[in-house]
Amino acid sequence: MNLTILLFCKKKKKRNKGELKGNSSVLTVAMASSESSSSTTQAQPSCCQCALASINVASFVSAKLRRDKNSNNYKSWKEQILCLIESQDLLGYIAGEISPPPMTSEAYAVWRRRDRLVKGWILGALSDEVVETAVNLNSARDVWLHLEKAFIKPRGPPPQAAAEQEKDWNEYLPLYTAALRGDWITAKEILDQNPNAVKARVSFTSETALHIAVGTGKSIPFVEKLVNTMPDEPLALTDELGFNALHVAARTGNTAAAKILIHRLEDLLYVKSNYGFFPAHEAAKSAQRDTLLFLISQNKDNLEPNPCAGANGVSLLNAIIDADFFDIALHLVGKYPHMARIELPHGNSALKRIALKESAFSGVARFNFWERFISSSVQLEMASEVRHGPPNRGNIEDPTCGTRIHGEFRRWHRVVQNLHFALCKIIKQLVPHIKLIHDKKMMHHQALELVKCLCKQMGSLNYTEAAPIYREAMITAARLGIHEVIEVIVEAFPAAIYNRHATTKHFICHLAAQNRCEKVYNLIYQTSGHKHQYADAKDFSGNTLLHLAAGLAPPHKLNLVSGAALQMQRELQWFKEVEKFVHPYTKERPNYAGKTPKMVFTEEHKDLKNEGEKWMKDTANSCTIAAALIATVVFAAAITVPGGNESTTGYPIFSKSGAFVLFAVSDAVSLFTSTTSLLMFLSILTSRYAEEDFLYALPKRLCIGLFTLFVSILFMTIAFSATLYLVFGLNNWWVVMPVAALACLPISSFVLLQFPLLVDVISSTYGRGIFGKQSDNPFY
C-alpha cells in the first residue's frame, strides 16, 4: 500500500471524524442517505452521487497517463489524480481502507457505485494504450495497484532522474557504509551534523540506515544505539516494498534486532507490507525459526490488524507449513482453531497445504532395512519423551507409591531411561546419519499429528462448510500418494471417501492408479464391500479404473524403477492388479474414444516397450561376452591341470592334494554355471519381446543369467587361487593371504556393479510385491 495514500487517509479521518468512522466511513454516509429515500429510489443514484459523477476529471488532471519509450508522467499524474479523489473523501477506495461489504447486503450497491465512480475517474485519466492493460480489473484499488506496479520501477529511477537521485545517494553514502560495517562512531558524527539523516533514503530501494543495519544481521550494538537515537516516526518508515525494519529483521533472521525494535515500538508487529504480509509472515516465508517463534510470542490478540486473525492467520499457518515447522503449526492451530476452518482463494487451506508436503511423509517410507531398524529405536525414544517428558524433570519416586520396593523400582527405571536418552543424544551428535533419521521420523510424526489436529478443529463445521476444505486435501493427497492424510480425513469425515475431482470426476482410487500411488490404492484392500462402487465407475472421458491403469505412468514414478525392462514389468503389474479388481465387463468396455483398456495400454507403452527391448539386448550382449570368456578359460584349465600329469598313469601330479580337489570342483562349477548363463542370455537375445514377456519370462531369464554369471565368476576365482597355491605356495603359507585378498577384488567389483541389478530383478519378480493389505485397521 502506498505510504502517501495512508497518510492522506489518516489525516482526513481526523478532520472528519464525525462523518467518517472506521473502514466503512463512506458507506455509512451513503447508507444514511439511502435509508432516508423511498424504496423506489434506493436503486437510483443520490443527488450527491450525481454531483460526483458530473465532475470533470480534466479539470484536475492536465495530461493523461502515458508511457513513452524512455519515460512516463506517472509522478505528476499521480499527484493530480490523488487531489481529485482526496477532495471528494473517496481515498479509502484505493487505499484499501473501505473494503466491500457482503454482496447480499444493501450497502454493497452503494459501495459498488462509489467504487465504479472512482475507477471511472482513473480510467478516464489514462491514455488508450494504458487503458487496455487495466480495463478488465474488478475494482478501483485493483486498477491503482496495477498502475503502481507497472510504472514504479523497482531497480532505480528513470535515466533522466538518475543524476539527481545519485547526488542524494552520494550525500548519504558515508552513512550507508557505516550502517553496513556497523561503524557507530562515523554514523553518530553524521547524525549529529544532520539529525534528519535518520529518515534519509540511503539506497535506490528507499531503504533507511536502519534497514541496512538490521539487514546485515551483524553489529547489534549499532542497531541498538541507532534505535535509541531515533524518534518513533522514522522507526516505522518503509522501503519501496512496504517493509519496515522489523520486516527486514524477520526476513534475515535477526532475532536480536527484532527484540530491540519491538521493545521500542510494538506497533511494528502489526504493519503490513505492500504484499499484505506482516513481519511474522516474512519470518515464516524465509524459514527463520527462532525469529518466527519470538514474533509469535509477542503477538497480542486484541490488536488489529492481527497476523493471526482471519485470513491473515491462515496465510501465516500455510507459510509455517511450507517451512516444515510442523510443531509451531500445531501450537498455532491449538491456540487459534479458526485457522483450520478457513479456506483462502484457490482452495489454499491449511489441510491442503500439509497434503502437499510429500517429503514429510515419504522420507520414512523410503528407509532401507538398517534405517528402519534405527528408526524403530528412535521411535521408542520419542514415545519415552512423550510419556515421561525430558529427563531430570519431576519426582523420581512416585508419591502415590505404597511401598519402598515399588519406589526403588521406579527410581532405577527412571535412571535407566535417563541413561538411554543421554546415550541416544550422544550417538546422534557423533553420527550425523542417525540424527538425520531421527529428524525425518520426528517430522513425519509431527506432520501426522498436525493433520489430526486440523481435522479435529474442523469437526464443528457442517458438511457444506467442511466438504470444500477436505475435498481439495483428499484429491491432493491421493495424487501425491500420501495415504496417511487420506486415512485421517476419512476417519474424521467418512463421507469424504465419495469425493471426486471437480473436473475429471476421478475418485481417490482413480487418482492413485493414474499416478501410480500404490499405498493409496492399497486402501481398497482395507475397505468393506463399498469398494465395489469403484469397480465400474467412469470419469468425464468414459475411462474406467482399468483405462487409467493402462496409461503410461508419470516420469517421476517410472524413474523409481531401474531399467526400461523393469519399468515395463511394473506397468504390467499395475495393469494386472487392477484387472483383478474391476468388473469382468469393464475389462473390455471402451471409453468415449472407442478404446478398450488393452488398446490404451499398447498405445501408451509402445515407446517404453521398444526401450525395454533395447535395454534387455544390451545387457544380454555384455553378459554374453563375459560368460563366453569364463567358459573358455575354465574349460582350458580343466584340460591343462596345474602341475601336469604323471607320465606312467596319466593322473594329475597333485591329485591327492586338497587344494587340487578344490581346484577341480571350482573349475567344474564355474564351467557349468557360465554355460548356463550363456544360454540364458542367448535366449534373451532371441526372444519375441511381446508385452506379456516383460512380466515374467524375460525377468526370469535375466535373473537366472545374472545369478549363474555371478557364481561362475566366484568359482573361477577360487579355481585360479587354488592353482596359484599348488604351483607357487604349496610349502609357503605366506602366499595364501595375498592371493585370497586379490581374489576378492573381482568378486567385490561384480557385487558393487551388477549385484544391485540382480537384487532388483529378484525383488521385482519374486518379491512380495507392492500391492496388498497394509494394515488390519479398516479404512471404510
Side-chain angles (χ1 to χ4, degrees):
M1 179 186 303
N2 189 278
L3 184 60
T4 307
I5 300 176
L6 286 175
L7 292 174
F8 280 156
C9 290
K10 290 179 179 178
K11 291 178 181 178
K12 195 65 186 176
K13 277 198 219 176
K14 292 180 180 179
R15 293 197 302 267
N16 303 296
K17 188 173 182 181
E19 182 181 0
L20 300 176
K21 296 181 180 179
N23 292 342
S24 303
S25 54
V26 179
L27 289 178
T28 304
V29 176
M31 289 177 65
S33 64
S34 177
E35 289 175 359
S36 63
S37 61
S38 63
S39 59
T40 58
T41 59
Q42 282 181 351
Q44 302 299 325
S46 63
C47 295
C48 178
Q49 182 79 11
C50 294
L52 291 174
S54 63
I55 293 176
N56 186 7
V57 179
S59 300
F60 289 84
V61 183
S62 59
K64 291 187 176 184
L65 179 62
R66 66 184 187 280
R67 183 197 294 275
D68 296 332
K69 184 175 181 180
N70 296 321
S71 65
N72 61 69
N73 62 332
Y74 177 74
K75 186 175 180 180
S76 59
W77 176 89
K78 174 183 173 182
E79 292 298 327
Q80 294 175 358
I81 197 71
L82 280 176
C83 290
L84 168 62
I85 298 174
E86 198 264 343
S87 67
Q88 304 302 320
D89 294 339
L90 298 177
L91 204 60
Y93 283 85
I94 62 173
E97 292 194 341
I98 302 178
S99 55
M103 296 182 65
T104 56
S105 66
E106 296 181 359
Y108 179 78
V110 180
W111 175 90
R112 179 71 173 171
R113 288 198 299 270
R114 292 294 180 91
D115 183 76
R116 300 294 287 183
L117 178 65
V118 176
K119 180 182 175 182
W121 287 347
I122 298 175
L123 293 178
L126 304 179
S127 61
D128 292 341
E129 64 272 14
V130 178
V131 168
E132 292 179 359
T133 66
V135 70
N136 293 324
L137 299 176
N138 294 329
S139 65
R141 174 168 170 76
D142 292 340
V143 175
W144 187 262
L145 294 178
H146 167 75
L147 295 176
E148 278 193 337
K149 183 178 180 181
F151 285 90
I152 296 179
K153 296 184 179 180
R155 294 194 177 275
Q160 292 82 351
E164 180 181 355
Q165 185 65 44
E166 186 176 351
K167 180 180 179 181
D168 293 338
W169 293 344
N170 289 334
E171 180 181 349
Y172 293 107
L173 183 59
L175 180 60
Y176 186 103
T177 306
L180 278 175
R181 297 178 179 177
D183 184 0
W184 174 245
I185 297 176
T186 303
K188 190 174 186 306
E189 292 177 356
I190 298 173
L191 296 176
D192 289 341
Q193 296 174 4
N194 183 10
N196 290 328
V198 295
K199 299 184 292 184
R201 309 292 185 172
V202 299
S203 72
F204 68 89
T205 54
S206 300
E207 294 174 303
T208 65
L210 183 59
H211 286 84
I212 302 299
V214 171
T216 60
K218 304 177 291 185
S219 188
I220 301 304
F222 180 93
V223 175
E224 186 173 11
K225 293 174 182 176
L226 181 60
V227 169
N228 291 336
T229 60
M230 297 173 65
D232 289 348
E233 183 180 353
L235 284 174
L237 288 176
T238 60
D239 60 13
E240 66 178 14
L241 300 177
F243 291 158
N244 59 37
L246 189 57
H247 283 96
V248 177
R251 287 171 63 90
T252 58
N254 195 342
T255 309
K259 292 179 180 179
I260 296 171
L261 292 168
I262 293 177
H263 182 265
R264 174 63 188 280
L265 187 61
E266 192 179 29
D267 291 345
L268 294 175
L269 270 171
Y270 311 101
V271 177
K272 287 185 177 182
S273 67
N274 291 347
Y275 301 101
F277 295 128
F278 294 89
H281 290 77
E282 296 299 331
K285 289 167 58 182
S286 302
Q288 302 292 351
R289 181 184 178 86
D290 294 338
T291 308
L292 174 63
L293 285 171
F294 172 71
L295 295 177
I296 292 176
S297 67
Q298 299 299 308
N299 184 67
K300 294 181 179 179
D301 300 337
N302 59 343
L303 297 179
E304 292 291 341
N306 198 286
C308 295
N312 295 327
V314 179
S315 62
L316 174 60
L317 180 61
N318 289 347
I320 292 173
I321 293 174
D322 291 342
D324 293 341
F325 298 153
F326 301 125
D327 53 340
I328 303 177
L330 271 169
H331 167 72
L332 280 184
V333 175
K335 187 176 181 181
Y336 306 100
H338 72 274
M339 292 183 177
R341 305 170 190 151
I342 298 178
E343 184 180 29
L344 298 178
H346 308 293
N348 283 325
S349 64
L351 192 60
K352 180 183 177 181
R353 213 57 164 231
I354 188 65
L356 286 168
K357 300 298 293 185
E358 182 184 6
S359 58
F361 297 93
S362 62
V364 176
R366 295 174 183 172
F367 282 166
N368 57 33
F369 173 78
W370 292 109
E371 288 175 333
R372 286 194 297 270
F373 175 76
I374 297 172
S375 175
S376 63
S377 300
V378 172
Q379 185 177 9
L380 292 176
E381 179 188 342
M382 288 170 54
S384 174
E385 292 178 16
V386 172
R387 211 169 31 242
H388 301 289
N392 299 325
R393 286 188 182 179
N395 296 326
I396 295 179
E397 187 172 344
D398 188 352
T400 63
C401 172
T403 64
R404 183 179 180 83
I405 297 177
H406 187 242
E408 290 293 332
F409 172 77
R410 289 184 58 84
R411 177 181 298 156
W412 283 109
H413 180 67
R414 182 60 63 87
V415 169
V416 172
Q417 282 187 331
N418 292 344
L419 291 175
H420 173 73
F421 180 85
L423 180 61
C424 290
K425 189 174 181 180
I426 293 173
I427 292 176
K428 283 188 293 184
Q429 292 177 348
L430 295 177
V431 185
H433 189 66
I434 294 180
K435 185 179 184 302
L436 179 63
I437 294 173
H438 171 270
D439 293 342
K440 287 184 178 180
K441 186 71 178 180
M442 184 66 75
M443 179 184 293
H444 177 268
H445 173 76
Q446 292 172 346
L448 191 57
E449 288 299 316
L450 179 58
V451 176
K452 294 178 180 178
C453 183
L454 291 171
C455 290
K456 180 181 178 181
Q457 299 298 345
M458 290 171 54
S460 60
L461 301 177
N462 57 43
Y463 173 76
T464 56
E465 294 172 334
I469 298 177
Y470 66 65
R471 181 186 296 118
E472 289 292 330
M474 282 275 290
I475 297 301
T476 302
R479 179 172 53 84
L480 297 178
I482 309 177
H483 67 98
E484 296 97 330
V485 174
I486 296 176
E487 290 182 79
V488 173
I489 293 177
V490 172
E491 183 179 0
F493 307 98
I497 196 173
Y498 298 106
N499 279 341
R500 304 183 76 166
H501 192 278
T503 305
T504 61
K505 304 303 180 184
H506 288 156
F507 286 105
I508 57 172
C509 63
H510 290 95
L511 292 169
Q514 185 181 42
N515 294 279
R516 301 301 191 266
C517 301
E518 62 275 3
K519 291 187 178 296
V520 175
Y521 181 81
N522 286 339
L523 294 176
I524 288 179
Y525 302 106
Q526 299 170 227
T527 308
S528 60
H530 295 279
K531 63 185 177 183
H532 294 292
Q533 65 179 320
Y534 305 125
D536 57 351
K538 296 187 296 183
D539 65 5
F540 75 111
S541 298
N543 293 317
T544 63
L545 183 61
L546 192 57
H547 281 95
L548 298 176
L552 186 65
H556 70 281
K557 289 292 184 178
L558 279 178
N559 292 333
L560 296 177
V561 183
S562 58
L566 296 185
Q567 291 174 357
M568 186 68 181
Q569 182 193 43
R570 178 59 57 85
E571 291 292 275
L572 283 165
Q573 289 172 346
W574 264 100
F575 187 80
K576 296 296 182 182
E577 186 68 23
V578 175
E579 191 177 37
K580 291 188 292 185
F581 171 72
V582 299
H583 191 278
Y585 170 70
T586 306
K587 299 177 183 179
E588 304 297 333
R589 176 189 292 178
N591 57 16
Y592 295 155
K595 297 180 180 179
T596 64
K598 188 64 178 177
M599 295 168 61
V600 173
F601 185 90
T602 301
E603 180 180 337
E604 291 279 334
H605 294 82
K606 180 180 179 181
D607 293 337
L608 183 61
K609 175 178 170 292
N610 294 333
E611 293 175 7
E613 179 179 352
K614 182 177 182 299
W615 183 86
M616 271 285 188
K617 288 183 176 180
D618 290 344
T619 303
N621 273 324
S622 301
C623 295
T624 299
I625 296 174
L629 287 175
I630 294 172
T632 303
V633 169
V634 296
F635 182 79
I639 297 175
T640 58
V641 294
N645 301 323
E646 294 182 356
S647 57
T648 55
T649 62
Y651 287 111
I653 296 175
F654 297 120
S655 60
K656 295 182 180 180
S657 173
F660 184 82
V661 175
L662 179 63
F663 159 78
V665 173
S666 300
D667 192 79
V669 172
S670 181
L671 176 62
F672 298 148
T673 52
S674 61
T675 305
T676 304
S677 175
L678 183 61
L679 293 174
M680 286 294 106
F681 289 122
L682 287 175
S683 69
I684 291 175
L685 291 173
T686 58
S687 176
R688 61 185 185 136
Y689 287 98
E691 289 178 355
E692 299 293 334
D693 293 343
F694 286 92
L695 181 62
Y696 184 73
L698 289 174
K700 180 185 69 174
R701 297 174 189 176
L702 181 62
C703 180
I704 296 174
L706 289 174
F707 177 76
T708 51
L709 179 62
F710 174 72
V711 173
S712 66
I713 293 175
L714 174 63
F715 281 96
M716 178 192 69
T717 305
I718 295 174
F720 180 75
S721 302
T723 301
L724 288 179
Y725 173 73
L726 287 171
V727 176
F728 300 106
L730 189 59
N731 296 317
N732 299 315
W733 286 96
W734 60 268
V735 177
V736 176
M737 295 303 297
V739 168
L742 293 174
C744 295
L745 184 60
I747 299 174
S748 301
S749 300
F750 184 88
V751 168
L752 292 175
L753 299 176
Q754 296 296 332
F755 195 70
L757 175 61
L758 177 60
V759 172
D760 288 341
V761 175
I762 295 176
S763 175
S764 179
T765 308
Y766 301 102
R768 60 189 299 262
I770 60 175
F771 302 104
K773 197 174 183 180
Q774 300 174 143
S775 172
D776 293 330
N777 298 326
F779 173 59
Y780 180 78

